[in-house]
Amino acid sequence: MRVDAHGQRIPLFDRGVYRRRRERAAAALQEAGLDVLVVTAPENIYYLTGLDHFGYFAFHMLVMAADADPVLVARRMEQLTISRDVGDIGFRGYGDDEDLARLCSEVVGSVTPRPQRIGMELANLYLIPAVARAIQERFDGAEVVDATELITGLRLVQSPEELEVTRRAAAVTDAMMQAAVATAAAGVTEREVAAAALEAMMEAGGEPPGFWPFVRSTSRLNEDHTTWTDYALKEGDALFLEMSGSVGRYHAPMGRVVFIGDVPNGSEYVAGVCLEAFEAAREAVRPGVEAGRVYAAWQDVLDRNGLAHYRRHHCGYLTGIGFPPSWTGNGIPRALRDGSRMRLAAGMVFHLMSWTMGTGQGDYFVSDPVVVTPNGGERLSRTPQDLVVK
């Protein structure tokens, strides 16, 4: 993170960027017929205010209306950070022994005294049920509307300035992955591989990611969200690597598989199919295309190459702003799933995945950050996808 001559943090973007985002949000909530909007997802609060800290482990709430200044609720101890970083936002702090639910209902009333339609992010992980209930009880008779997608929908397409940050994150990912691959060898532990990736992350200017690197070998290849142990790699092992650089909370994930000593029977063939399927999906990633069509392009390659029995729940998902414990932006990813009607738009960034692990005929995996363009997906990473044996 950049700092000034006095060591104070410099926001990722000019404050005017965040003000314009809030203006768009105010217009969106007005168009949705909402009198007030309660935002609790850290990614959405960050998108609207620029507040970048680790304090989101405790409850935050941004209250917005079209005709009033927004108010941020957070622990009182965060006041110094908030005053320095987002001083153009109203702030109400709470103590750890206070009635948080009552305070939150009061703040909503201070922004909009008699709301008839209240928007809440009902499907995100960060809305405390007691807070939602207190707001409903205070404004008995008001309609509570699920507004989970309202702010999230505004940030699905990255602006040119956001894409520039994502490209910087992709360069960090390249450095991490290349260090991990270079370190992997028989006798080296998973922990040592992860340490090499993290050292490269720091040297390349990376910041803490939503997920730490996933580093796991043969016996745990399909444990989707576990990571390194003290296991020492052996001849014949496969090493799964998935990681993301992060700059200003923007992510650019990538994945690879490295074989130690030799390639198991069938995996070389499956690697060829995997790479062909990735390219088919990348070509299909165009504005206006439904997400399900991208998955179909990926699956078609497997079907034509003797892997019709193998299916995945998706072949990629939207990425961008992410706070721990995720780089997908809170909750179940918005993915390139079979049958999905989600329409792609230029500027969306996907973690595009060709995952062919556990096919019964061999294993391989590649993934890269890809931005939607009129000419197909542009791969933001530079790390080769070729089969690697160490």
Side-chain angles (χ1 to χ4, degrees):
M1 179 176 286
R2 297 179 304 152
V3 294
D4 63 20
H6 305 288
Q8 297 299 319
R9 291 175 302 281
I10 299 173
L12 184 63
F13 302 122
D14 180 85
R15 295 304 304 165
V17 170
Y18 302 105
R19 184 183 67 253
R20 289 189 291 275
R21 289 176 178 178
R22 292 194 297 274
E23 290 171 352
R24 287 179 61 211
L29 73 89
Q30 204 166 24
E31 184 177 347
L34 301 176
D35 299 309
V36 65
L37 176 65
V38 176
V39 182
T40 50
E43 291 81 4
N44 289 342
I45 294 174
Y46 172 67
Y47 178 78
L48 294 169
T49 69
L51 179 60
D52 183 359
H53 69 161
F54 286 100
Y56 286 110
F57 71 88
F59 183 77
H60 284 55
M61 180 180 80
L62 181 69
V63 183
M64 298 186 63
D67 57 355
D69 294 331
V71 176
L72 177 65
V73 175
R75 291 174 82 196
R76 189 173 297 120
M77 66 177 295
E78 307 290 3
Q79 183 169 4
L80 177 60
T81 301
I82 291 170
S83 65
R84 284 179 169 174
D85 291 3
V86 293
D88 53 349
I89 300 291
F91 174 65
R92 285 288 300 273
Y94 63 85
D96 294 353
D97 57 350
E98 288 187 44
D99 185 340
L100 174 62
R102 181 182 59 79
L103 172 66
C104 289
S105 68
E106 290 176 355
V107 171
V108 172
S110 71
V111 173
T112 305
R114 290 178 293 278
Q116 298 302 304
R117 299 187 83 234
I118 303 171
M120 295 190 200
E121 295 177 326
L122 298 177
N124 90 76
L125 303 176
Y126 292 87
L127 177 59
I128 297 175
V131 169
R133 184 169 59 249
I135 294 171
Q136 289 178 291
E137 291 174 352
R138 182 180 182 90
F139 304 103
D140 186 31
E143 180 186 3
V144 173
V145 177
D146 184 4
T148 303
E149 297 298 315
L150 196 147
I151 303 302
T152 299
L154 296 180
R155 63 181 178 83
L156 296 183
V157 173
Q158 295 190 22
S159 66
E161 59 204 354
E162 289 178 292
L163 286 173
E164 178 56 35
V165 175
T166 298
R167 291 179 189 278
R168 289 164 53 195
V172 174
T173 313
D174 276 325
M176 295 171 69
M177 183 62 73
Q178 290 164 20
V181 171
T183 302
V188 174
T189 66
E190 295 172 348
R191 181 184 300 277
E192 289 172 315
V193 173
L198 292 172
E199 181 179 7
M201 177 190 82
M202 297 292 285
E203 291 178 351
E207 298 165 6
F211 284 134
W212 292 109
F214 293 121
V215 179
R216 54 185 182 267
S217 52
T218 302
S219 66
R220 300 185 300 115
L221 286 180
N222 289 302
E223 294 179 2
D224 283 0
H225 298 109
T226 65
T227 189
W228 68 82
T229 68
D230 290 322
Y231 175 78
L233 298 169
K234 296 180 175 62
E235 297 282 336
D237 274 335
L239 179 64
F240 177 97
L241 301 169
E242 187 181 13
M243 57 196 68
S244 180
S246 173
V247 174
R249 304 292 178 176
Y250 286 80
H251 291 76
M254 180 195 307
R256 298 290 187 271
V257 168
V258 175
F259 295 105
I260 307 300
D262 198 5
V263 181
N265 288 337
S267 287
E268 191 165 354
Y269 173 75
V270 169
V273 177
C274 177
L275 294 176
E276 182 183 346
F278 181 94
E279 282 302 301
R282 187 188 64 78
E283 284 290 329
V285 172
R286 297 171 185 265
V289 172
E290 292 183 352
R293 294 287 298 277
V294 179
Y295 179 88
W298 180 83
Q299 185 67 50
D300 181 61
V301 175
L302 274 67
D303 292 351
R304 289 188 284 101
N305 285 277
L307 298 176
H309 65 283
Y310 184 82
R311 303 190 69 81
R312 290 286 297 169
H313 56 295
H314 63 60
C315 66
Y317 50 79
L318 277 164
T319 188
I321 298 172
F323 281 81
S326 167
W327 59 44
T328 66
N330 187 260
I332 302 297
R334 291 163 177 79
L336 302 168
R337 303 184 191 280
D338 187 19
S340 171
R341 305 297 300 273
M342 177 178 69
R343 289 199 176 274
L344 278 54
M348 286 182 168
V349 176
F350 284 90
H351 181 200
L352 189 64
M353 313 173 78
S354 193
W355 183 303
T356 51
M357 308 287 288
T359 66
Q361 299 181 35
D363 299 305
Y364 202 63
F365 167 61
V366 295
S367 69
D368 281 301
V370 167
V371 60
V372 179
T373 78
N375 299 317
E378 177 194 351
R379 195 162 72 95
L380 300 182
S381 54
R382 297 292 178 263
T383 301
Q385 295 182 330
D386 304 334
L387 189 148
V388 175
V389 180
K390 295 296 299 291

